[in-house]
Amino acid sequence: MGSSHEPAAGDGAAGAGRADAPLGSVGDGSERSADPEPTDAPDVPGGSRPTGPTDHTHAPTPWPTARVIAARAAEPLAPRMRALDEALGHTLAGRLTALTDLPSFDTSAMDGWAVAGPGPWRLPEGDDTGILAGRPDVAPLHDGEAVRIATGARVPPGATAVLRSEHGTVRPQGELYASRHLTQGQDIRPRGQECQSGDGLLAAGTFVTPAVLGLAAATGYDQLKVTPRPRAEVLVLGDELLREGLPHDGRIRDALGPMLGPWLRALGAEVGGIRRLGDDATALRAALEASDADLVLTTGGTAGGPVDHVHPTLRHLGAELLVDGVAVRPGHPMLLARLTPGRHLVGLPGNPLAAVAGLLTLAEPLLRALSGRAAPEPYRAVLGEDAPGHPTDTRLIPVAREGAGRVRPLRFHGPAMLRGLAAADALAVVPPGGTGRGREVELLCLPWAAQDGSPGGTR
């Protein structure tokens, strides 16, 4: 779309190097232009400046400041009660408190025999079944007595330990002998071992995972009070975009439409739809007026070209611009606006990697705020190679993990490229001026990338 879109195919793709080759490496000469992004020009095709009129004369917002603004732009959505089978992927709206002791009675941790006192022990005659899980009442044991017991069954009063099946022998006289020494309370899970009624289990803002659902069920919950997933809608702008087939006649494939929906879901949003509007100011205004999504994302149209309609449309709608340009490469034409109280728009640049930079810079913290989730602790790693920077702006570069807390910058990181991102585990936050090998950098972790125990991008 005008000065906001750049072909995803062909930019540096002719190079013979691999997508995971080191940053700045060269091969047969065709790879030397793998990063066409100039350090002092906007993200536009070929690195040229836009020829259309622009009113972007103000200084862009520093990248860290833009993230803070986005995180504080919205309050959490109103909490709702959800049945356990409907709460997955939401966020706890209050502290999860135990409704019962867990376990709620002394429980056998193994199949075997409940025994009382020192052995050998007498077994009851004619009782080959013993105590099974789910039996409400069990008879007490006295010293020298034993009874078969199943895992999860209630331990009878008077029992001092559970003897595992593989560690006991029953002789013909009905006596049980142990092949190993038993300690007091062995293989008995005492009542309240994991938690006691009233204990705080999880804090408000915890992301509801399958394990959270299991814990809630075990402690007696049928429903959870949660902050719902924010509703998001994507408006893809640009007459030059194709939905299928090969690029032709000056038109290019839409790379953002297929990518943004799944990415938003990974960040915790419910995606209502992906709409393609072309370069049509009237259609854009109508779509924004009709939308009831908590977050609308637009792609392209955020610069000052002749068909860049986002800024004029926001002015017509009386929207409040919270962030209008960010000092980051790629992606500096991104913006954040409040359409109405509780409804926001994030304008992403049309170049694919620049759009991802906008998504992680503005949309991710905003969605986190709407979901009521706390910001994760910053994750840092050591650079295995130098990471060149922009003289004044933060730079986001795809990186791959190398193990032992190290990452390697990837090539193909120009604003219109996705090849490096597709091979990446994270985006490294490179400060203005760049940073060198052996230095630590902050990482924006991708929601689906394994991080060796590090925090992911959705929590």
Side-chain angles (χ1 to χ4, degrees):
M1 171 179 175
S3 63
S4 300
H5 284 287
E6 188 168 346
D11 287 293
R18 294 170 49 196
D20 60 352
L23 177 68
S25 64
V26 294
D28 60 2
S30 62
E31 302 169 352
R32 298 182 185 273
S33 61
D35 182 6
E37 182 191 14
T39 58
D40 60 350
D43 299 338
V44 293
S48 61
R49 296 184 179 273
T51 56
T54 177
D55 58 0
H56 297 171
T57 57
H58 62 278
T61 304
W63 184 81
T65 304
R67 296 265 294 169
V68 171
I69 292 172
R72 296 176 177 175
E75 296 294 326
L77 298 174
R80 302 175 187 174
M81 296 301 296
R82 298 279 193 188
L84 292 187
D85 60 359
E86 297 176 347
L88 183 68
H90 297 289
T91 304
L92 292 180
R95 188 174 72 158
L96 187 72
T97 301
L99 300 180
T100 183
D101 297 342
L102 192 62
S104 55
F105 48 82
D106 291 349
T107 304
S108 176
M110 293 288 172
D111 292 332
W113 297 268
V115 300
W121 303 273
R122 298 180 308 275
L123 292 170
E125 295 182 5
D127 186 0
D128 295 329
T129 302
I131 305 173
L132 301 178
R135 282 183 56 174
D137 299 309
V138 293
L141 290 180
H142 302 93
D143 279 358
E145 294 181 341
V147 64
R148 280 197 172 275
I149 193 167
T151 301
R154 182 191 295 267
V155 174
T160 55
V162 169
L163 176 65
R164 301 184 185 190
S165 297
E166 61 269 27
H167 297 161
T169 302
V170 179
R171 295 187 178 178
Q173 296 83 2
E175 288 188 324
L176 172 66
Y177 288 80
S179 61
R180 297 191 181 184
H181 174 70
L182 278 180
T183 59
Q184 182 80 14
Q186 184 169 326
D187 288 326
I188 293 176
R189 294 185 61 216
R191 176 174 181 166
Q193 180 186 48
E194 186 169 0
C195 64
Q196 296 182 354
S197 181
D199 284 352
L201 303 177
L202 296 170
T206 299
F207 187 76
V208 179
T209 64
V212 171
L213 294 178
L215 177 62
T219 55
Y221 285 87
D222 299 318
Q223 295 180 313
L224 290 176
K225 187 177 183 181
V226 296
T227 302
R229 293 162 66 97
R231 295 166 300 131
E233 183 177 8
V234 178
L235 304 179
V236 180
L237 313 180
D239 289 338
E240 76 277 24
L241 301 177
L242 296 169
R243 298 184 62 176
E244 59 185 6
L246 295 173
H248 61 83
D249 301 326
R251 303 187 67 191
I252 59 174
R253 280 295 299 272
D254 169 26
L256 295 181
M259 180 172 64
L260 290 179
W263 205 312
L264 287 167
R265 293 184 188 98
L267 291 176
E270 295 282 359
V271 182
I274 309 291
R275 298 180 59 189
R276 293 167 174 83
L277 303 182
D279 291 320
D280 188 328
T282 301
L284 174 60
R285 179 171 179 175
L288 293 179
E289 289 176 330
S291 176
D292 62 354
D294 302 303
L295 172 63
V296 178
L297 270 76
T298 59
T299 70
T302 56
V307 290
D308 289 342
H309 301 305
V310 173
H311 280 92
T313 301
L314 292 176
R315 286 195 295 270
H316 287 315
L317 294 176
E320 178 187 2
L321 272 176
L322 305 178
V323 175
D324 189 10
V326 177
V328 65
R329 304 299 173 108
H332 67 279
M334 67 181 74
L335 63 84
L336 169 63
R338 182 175 290 118
L339 298 172
T340 60
R343 294 184 56 244
H344 293 81
L345 177 142
V346 170
L348 304 177
N351 286 324
L353 185 57
V356 170
L359 184 72
L360 297 182
T361 299
L362 298 177
E364 187 274 333
L366 179 63
L367 288 171
R368 190 174 357 101
L370 289 167
S371 300
R373 288 183 280 118
E377 289 296 322
Y379 179 56
R380 304 182 69 85
V382 175
L383 283 171
E385 299 172 11
D386 291 345
H390 185 275
T392 60
D393 295 352
T394 300
R395 198 172 186 203
L396 304 180
I397 298 178
V399 293
R401 290 182 295 111
E402 288 190 317
R406 299 179 69 87
V407 292
R408 171 173 51 89
L410 299 175
R411 296 176 60 245
F412 301 104
H413 53 266
M417 299 181 181
L418 287 173
R419 186 172 170 182
L421 184 65
D425 296 304
L427 293 182
V429 181
V430 179
T435 191
R437 177 179 180 178
R439 303 293 296 272
E440 276 195 346
V441 290
E442 180 183 351
L443 297 185
L444 300 179
C445 298
L446 306 183
W448 46 83
Q451 298 294 338
D452 289 340
S454 67
T458 62
R459 296 204 288 266

